[in-house]
Amino acid sequence: MQVRTRHTPTFGVARLVLAPGEAVLADPLTIAATSYGLVVEVKGAGAKAVALCTAGAEGGWIDAAPVLPGDLHQIELDGTHGWCLARHSWIASSSTVAMNPEAPPMQAIFGGAEGFMNYAHGQGAVVLACYGALDLVTLEAGEAVTISSDHVVAFADTVQCRLRPSAPDGVQSIQTGEGLVFDFAGPGAVLTQARGPRRLTTWLRANGVSPRS
């Protein structure tokens, strides 16, 4: 899979160019267009839906456009280390990349429960979207930082992390990340986004904008 981006950093669109017979996985909500004849098979439903996209004998392409405006980022996995990804940030990945929400790093963060992140490992490309601009936080060994879960896009599994409440008496959810922050310690990289999707929802409701308004 070759990834070509356009309209970044504000309204990023990723064109995924496929070789003949090549398959990729994508978020169905992000598929804006495909080359004629490309086969799209959606598996699962709701937030767990995944589209298996397979090119024909002459290859093909997919235009993946995130729901929220912002930048795009591509991670190349070499089989050595994996990445922890926010579920809402994942757009697409090579069929050779495995997504495992029950991997040891996820078990360590969520204690066996299903959380708001997934784990990618294997070899191939992963395309991520962020709401707003992308920031790369590179942590040296022993360097630490605290980041709201709403602003975390992904982090390498070399990074030590702890998930904890942002306020002792606040509402908390490991399914959505609400009310939680990450404490990270290096070495490794953390990708963050300048805007928070849940904060947008909170702002809209606080200002009288809701699905019923």
Side-chain angles (χ1 to χ4, degrees), residues 1 16 18 22-34 38-55 62-64 90-97 99:
M1 177 177 72
L16 315 176
L18 309 182
E22 185 177 7
V24 300
L25 298 174
D27 180 349
L29 292 177
T30 70
I31 299 176
T34 71
L38 188 136
V39 177
V40 178
E41 181 184 1
V42 178
K43 300 181 179 181
K48 295 184 179 181
V50 175
L52 175 63
C53 307
T54 308
I62 303 159
D63 274 355
W90 176 78
I91 292 182
S93 53
S94 303
S95 59
T96 51
V97 172
M99 307 292 286

Side-chain angles (χ1 to χ4, degrees), residues 98-111:
M99 307 292 286
N100 183 7
E102 299 180 356
M106 298 294 94
Q107 296 281 341
I109 295 172
F110 300 113

Side-chain angles (χ1 to χ4, degrees), residues 147-197:
I147 303 173
S148 166
S149 65
D150 203 24
H151 288 264
V152 173
V153 173
F155 55 92
D157 64 5
T158 57
V159 176
Q160 300 178 54
C161 71
R162 177 182 64 172
L163 188 64
R164 62 176 175 84
S166 56
D169 299 326
V171 177
Q172 303 157 22
S173 171
I174 62 170
Q175 282 75 38
T176 66
E178 181 180 5
L180 301 172
V181 297
F182 277 106
D183 294 326
F184 293 112
V190 181
L191 300 174
T192 67
Q193 55 193 2
R195 299 290 182 267

Side-chain angles (χ1 to χ4, degrees), residues 2 38 58 116 123 143 175:
Q2 296 181 5
L38 188 136
E58 297 182 355
F116 60 93
Q123 292 183 308
E143 185 180 4
Q175 282 75 38

